């Protein structure tokens, strides 16, 4: 057709999911990924991984507490959340998520409570309000058998797999946005979640537990393996588009061709990914560099968060029906910048409150006694 | 878009328009993201709309009357007429193409099964509606719609969309957009009634009817007559409206400051 079309009139379609969604997807992915990092030390009782498990458990609990808050905020009127339970539609992935999420939260809290309890009971002997509070929280001086911790951990793990599945499927089933509609997206969410969670563990290790070398090494290894797997997944996704017909890849190439901003982001993403992968290799090989692991940790958190920002927010700026792209500028208010900063602030508050109340650095129930 | 692909899409469009006439109720299995059963509405009817683009003059009377009838917030629309300027590359002749958009009341509406609370549902007469008392405002349906036919109403904080003016149809009135259409381009009616105007026109123009985004498999029930294939999916057009900016890069030419 040798004619050119100009779109003269079309309405502006707003963004339907706000940055709250990014915050939820980030927090919950860090939560389930950090939970995975506690498994060798806490559930299997492997002593080599107990320092890692200690930090990872703190990350798990804080992110599990804050994630659902961000999710509620994205409902526009959070108090309507009870509608989820009064009007179940188990055909919807989101409805399935609304059932999984509270159960996951309860299991994670039970797991952490059992892990921290011996130290809390010890602290309950001390005078002052912290001792008294520790007594209340630990609910008596009876000894919880180890199988209880293992059972709670396995329960949390089972629900964690449910969360991985539903958060991925919820987005990936949407045919309306071809960029989301690929089975590789849920896998990528988990891998980048592992990168971010390990990064955060390494970072907290630098700030709160004296830059323990073993934690750094283990964290960097997980980052390296996850990054390598993410590269494989990305390659598979692209090759699916080259060899067969993948609307997801086609939409991505279309955006790359038609939009300079997208090209910049793609180049940036690729560059940061390569830098992080190379940095982890360098740090793992040169013992002296290990003390700087927190830099890789920071970069890993950045990648985990930015991946979600790109996937959830930037994809929403691709017009479904009209030509071109929407302009999206982050608002200053609670549905924008304040929401983002607020979520991180709440997470920091949770971290500090737990740090004050719980002697989480002491031996965990898993092995030290 | 290359020629072969365009031709293929055109074929799919025609096929899908045909398939829409076959009842899809036989598709019943209970898996995740399957269509829940339809409820309410007259089971003997199947409402649909035919838009005769040859008669549309792009006056936006439908846009305005819908806005007033359904009290949508400023800047949000249940229906709108997209307008394109098409220039012949050799002769330089210019034509304007009008494309009224609204909810397609699909036979396989992707917005319905995603709803976590079954607030949005399809009536037995095919109309897709939202129960605002139940809706939680999660906007999942807004994401799932390939036609951008839904939005979160900033007044009610719930999902909002075209209902074919079900409240008017139920008392024997025409939808606001149909009532106000200057050229008589919008025809609504019951596909189950072989004598309805829409049934007669669909029979007459069967070969020329098209639907939007047939590749989505939604089986839309808004049919277009006089449609250009290049506008069926996301149009390959220059987005002129976004270029309306000041020298500082600030967007002008938009009155509404909503999100």
């Amino acid at each position: 057709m040798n004619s050119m079309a100009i779109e003269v009139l079309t309405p502006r379609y707003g963004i339907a999911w706000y940055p709250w969604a990014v915050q939820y997807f980030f927090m919950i992915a860090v939560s389930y990924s950090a939970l995975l990092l506690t498994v060798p030390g806490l559930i299997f009782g492997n002593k080599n991984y107990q320092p890692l498990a200690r930090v990872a458990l703190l990350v798990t609990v804080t992110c599990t507490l804050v994630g659902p808050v961000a999710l509620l905020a994205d409902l526009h009127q959070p108090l309507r959340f009870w509608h989820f339970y009064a009007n179940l539609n188990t055909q919807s992935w989101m409805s399935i998520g609304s059932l999984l999420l509270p159960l996951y939260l309860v299991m994670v809290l039970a797991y952490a409570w059992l892990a921290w309890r011996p130290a809390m009971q010890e602290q309950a002997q001390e005078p002052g309000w912290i001792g008294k509070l520790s007594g209340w929280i630990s609910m008596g001086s009876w000894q919880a058998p180890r199988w209880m911790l293992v059972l709670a951990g396995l329960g949390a793990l089972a629900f964690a797999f449910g969360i991985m599945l539903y958060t991925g499927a919820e987005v990936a089933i949407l045919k309306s946005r071809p960029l989301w509609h690929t089975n590789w997206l849920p896998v990528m969410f988990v891998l980048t979640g592992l990168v971010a969670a390990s990064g955060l563990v390494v970072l907290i290790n630098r700030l709160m537990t004296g830059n323990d070398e073993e934690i750094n090494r283990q964290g960097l290894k997980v980052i390296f393996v996850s990054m390598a797997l993410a590269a494989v997944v990305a390659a598979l996704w692209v090759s699916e588009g080259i060899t067969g017909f993948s609307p997801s890849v086609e939409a991505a190439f279309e955006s790359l061709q038609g939009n300079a901003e997208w090209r910049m982001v793609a180049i940036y993403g690729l560059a940061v990914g390569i830098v992080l992968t190379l940095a982890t290799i360098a740090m793992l090989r040169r013992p002296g560099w290990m003390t700087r692991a927190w830099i890789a940790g920071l970069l890993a958190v950045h990648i985990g968060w930015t991946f979600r920002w790109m996937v959830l927010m930037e994809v929403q700026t691709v017009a479904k029906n009209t030509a071109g792209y929407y302009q999206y500028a982050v608002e200053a208010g609670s549905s924008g910048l304040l929401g983002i900063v607020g979520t991180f602030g709440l997470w920091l508050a949770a971290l500090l409150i737990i740090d004050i109340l719980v002697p989480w650095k002491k031996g965990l129930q898993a092995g030290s006694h | 878009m290359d020629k072969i692909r365009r031709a293929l899409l055109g074929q799919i469009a025609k096929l899908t328009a045909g398939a829409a006439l076959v009842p899809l109720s036989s598709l019943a299995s209970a898996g995740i993201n399957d269509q829940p059963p339809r409820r309410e509405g007259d089971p003997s009817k199947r409402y649909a709309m035919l838009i005769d683009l040859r008669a549309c003059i792009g006056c936006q009377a439908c846009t305005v009357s819908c806005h007033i009838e359904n009290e949508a917030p400023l800047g949000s629309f249940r229906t709108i007429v997209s307008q394109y300027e098409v220039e012949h590359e050799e002769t330089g002749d210019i034509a304007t193409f009008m494309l009224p958009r609204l909810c397609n009341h699909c036979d396989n509406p992707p917005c319905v099964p995603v709803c976590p609370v079954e607030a949005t549902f399809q009536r037995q007469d095919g109309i897709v509606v939202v129960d605002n008392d139940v809706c939680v405002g999660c906007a999942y349906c807004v994401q799932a719609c390939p036609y951008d036919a839904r939005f979160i109403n900033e007044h009610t904080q719930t999902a909002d969309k075209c209902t074919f003016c079900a409240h008017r149809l139920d008392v024997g009135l025409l939808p606001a957009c149909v009532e106000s259409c200057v050229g008589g381009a919008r025809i609504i009616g019951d596909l189950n009634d072989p004598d309805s105007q829409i049934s007669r026109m669909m029979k007459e123009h069967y070969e020329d009817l098209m639907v939007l985004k047939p590749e989505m498999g939604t089986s839309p029930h808004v049919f277009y007559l006089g449609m250009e294939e290049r506008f069926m999916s996301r149009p390959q057009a220059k987005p002129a409206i976004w270029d309306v900016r000041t020298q500082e890069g600030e967007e002008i030419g938009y009155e509404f400051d909503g999100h």
Side-chain angles (χ1 to χ4, degrees):
Chain A
M1 218 173 295
N2 43 359
S3 59
M4 194 186 80
I6 300 173
E7 191 168 63
V8 183
L9 188 67
T10 187
R12 176 200 292 268
Y13 297 101
I15 296 273
W17 283 346
Y18 293 129
W20 292 114
V22 178
Q23 296 302 88
Y24 169 67
F25 273 79
F26 178 71
M27 286 292 174
I28 211 67
V30 172
S31 158
Y32 64 60
S33 305
L35 183 78
L36 291 180
L37 298 182
T38 69
V39 170
L42 261 175
I43 296 182
F44 297 147
N46 186 329
K47 284 213 163 54
N48 293 335
Y49 289 94
Q50 268 167 20
L52 176 78
R54 237 167 262 165
V55 182
L57 186 64
L58 182 72
V59 171
T60 308
V61 173
T62 47
C63 290
T64 312
L65 288 173
V66 177
V69 177
L71 186 63
L72 282 176
D74 208 27
L75 282 185
H76 299 85
Q77 278 175 12
L79 280 181
R80 292 182 293 193
F81 80 93
W82 62 269
H83 292 201
F84 277 105
Y85 307 104
N87 308 281
L88 280 179
N89 174 17
T90 45
Q91 279 165 327
S92 160
W93 277 109
M94 192 183 275
S95 178
I96 293 170
S98 74
L99 296 175
L100 287 173
L101 188 58
L103 293 170
Y104 172 67
L105 185 110
V106 168
M107 290 311 287
V108 164
L109 290 182
Y111 178 51
W113 181 74
L114 287 163
W116 286 336
R117 198 162 165 271
M120 290 293 276
Q121 284 169 324
E122 214 171 284
Q123 192 172 250
Q125 309 304 317
E126 291 169 19
W129 66 272
I130 286 199
K132 204 174 240 177
L133 199 62
S134 302
W136 289 339
I137 293 173
S138 48
M139 288 198 257
S141 54
W142 53 277
Q143 294 290 315
R146 198 177 129 69
W147 63 261
M148 280 178 78
L149 175 83
V150 173
L151 202 65
L154 290 176
L157 207 57
F159 284 111
F161 286 118
I163 301 275
M164 285 176 205
L165 182 68
Y166 111 81
T167 47
E170 184 177 67
V171 180
I173 56 143
L174 293 175
K175 245 183 170 174
S176 57
R177 295 207 182 275
L179 273 164
W180 287 347
H181 191 55
T182 161
N183 290 333
W184 296 115
L185 185 63
V187 184
M188 217 49 178
F189 273 145
V190 174
L191 291 174
T192 54
L194 273 166
V195 169
S198 312
L200 197 55
V201 165
V202 168
L203 208 56
I204 287 179
N205 178 39
R206 168 71 182 79
L207 295 169
M208 297 172 89
T209 47
N211 218 3
D212 181 289
E213 198 172 307
E214 205 46 42
I215 296 181
N216 281 342
R217 179 169 297 116
Q218 289 158 351
L220 288 177
K221 272 184 190 163
V222 176
I223 292 176
F224 172 73
V225 172
S226 307
M227 285 303 291
L229 288 175
V232 171
V233 168
L236 285 171
W237 173 69
V238 172
S239 65
E240 201 175 70
I242 292 168
T243 56
F245 180 66
S246 163
S248 169
V249 181
E250 197 197 29
F253 283 153
E254 207 173 281
S255 285
L256 288 176
Q257 275 168 10
N259 192 322
E261 242 174 79
W262 279 67
R263 278 196 294 275
M264 283 295 294
V265 166
I267 293 167
Y268 177 76
L270 206 61
V272 174
I274 291 170
V275 166
L276 177 64
T277 313
L278 293 179
T280 50
I281 296 173
M283 284 168 181
L284 285 167
R285 291 213 162 173
R286 300 194 178 203
W289 289 18
M290 193 69 90
T291 51
R292 298 269 182 274
W294 63 272
I295 299 174
L298 209 55
L299 205 57
V301 172
H302 169 70
I303 285 180
W305 189 84
T306 314
F307 178 74
R308 279 155 184 80
W309 181 272
M310 292 313 300
V311 168
L312 294 172
M313 300 308 291
E314 292 303 319
V315 172
Q316 288 190 73
T317 67
V318 182
K320 285 179 189 163
N321 255 333
T322 50
Y325 296 79
Y326 307 138
Q327 301 287 324
Y328 174 68
V330 183
E331 283 173 54
S334 72
S335 59
L337 204 60
L338 195 64
I340 300 171
V341 176
T343 317
F344 288 131
L346 190 64
W347 172 77
L348 196 62
L351 185 83
L352 294 178
I353 289 169
I354 290 175
D355 189 46
I356 291 168
L357 289 178
V358 183
W360 61 275
K361 290 174 204 169
K362 284 194 189 159
L364 295 161
Q365 200 215 12
S368 52
H369 66 264
Chain B
M1 211 188 291
D2 60 282
K3 253 191 182 147
I4 297 166
R5 174 105 193 284
R6 212 182 302 130
L8 184 71
L9 277 175
Q11 286 306 313
I12 298 173
K14 281 167 187 162
L15 281 175
T16 318
L21 299 172
V22 182
L24 279 174
S25 52
S26 52
L27 283 174
S29 62
I32 296 174
N33 220 38
D34 279 350
Q35 295 292 344
R38 297 179 183 186
R39 54 188 152 110
E40 299 177 24
D42 185 347
S44 68
K45 289 190 162 84
R46 197 341 169 169
Y47 284 113
M49 191 179 280
L50 190 152
I51 301 180
D52 186 350
L53 296 176
R54 302 167 307 181
C56 175
I57 58 165
C59 67
Q60 306 284 357
C62 51
T63 311
V64 175
S65 59
C66 169
H67 216 273
I68 291 166
E69 174 71 25
N70 295 300
E71 297 178 332
L74 275 183
S76 299
F77 302 94
R78 289 183 175 194
T79 187
I80 181 98
V81 184
S82 294
Q83 301 190 354
Y84 300 89
E85 197 178 274
V86 186
E87 187 183 344
H88 197 283
E89 271 175 9
E90 282 144 34
T91 62
D93 289 344
I94 286 178
T96 308
F97 182 74
M98 318 292 178
L99 183 55
R101 296 182 189 275
L102 67 158
C103 170
N104 285 280
H105 299 276
C106 310
D107 238 18
N108 182 24
C111 53
V112 170
V114 297
C115 178
V117 292
E118 283 190 1
T120 186
F121 62 94
Q122 188 158 34
R123 304 200 324 179
Q124 296 182 83
D125 54 15
I127 300 179
V128 178
V129 290
V130 181
D131 182 345
N132 294 79
D133 288 334
V134 175
C135 177
V136 287
C138 70
Y140 199 8
C141 57
V142 181
Q143 300 288 11
C145 174
Y147 304 102
D148 264 337
R150 286 169 169 262
F151 57 92
I152 293 291
N153 182 315
E154 62 186 46
H155 296 152
T156 63
Q157 291 294 354
T158 53
D160 199 324
K161 70 182 286 296
C162 157
T163 61
F164 270 169
C165 278
H167 60 290
R168 291 173 63 92
L169 286 177
D170 288 347
V171 293
L173 295 170
L174 288 171
C177 60
V178 177
E179 191 89 74
S180 62
C181 183
V182 178
R186 291 186 184 230
I187 294 114
I188 193 162
D190 178 13
L191 288 184
N192 290 347
D193 174 5
D195 294 326
S196 64
Q197 190 190 354
I198 188 167
S199 293
R200 281 186 279 117
M201 284 188 77
M202 293 217 22
K203 205 177 287 170
E204 188 185 341
H205 301 286
Y206 185 72
E207 292 292 311
D208 304 316
L209 291 177
M210 282 191 200
V211 292
L212 292 179
K213 288 195 172 179
E215 73 276 13
M216 288 284 163
T218 53
S219 184
H221 269 53
V222 172
F223 303 92
Y224 292 90
L225 184 56
M227 176 77 164
E228 263 236 46
E229 277 166 23
R230 66 193 292 179
F231 294 101
M232 271 179 357
S233 291
R234 200 178 162 205
Q236 301 284 310
K238 198 171 155 246
I241 198 154
W242 306 123
D243 291 342
V244 186
R245 287 164 184 279
T246 62
Q247 283 189 325
E248 285 76 43
E250 199 183 329
E251 203 178 298
I252 51 172
Y254 243 95
E255 290 170 50
F256 308 117
D257 200 27
H259 51 253

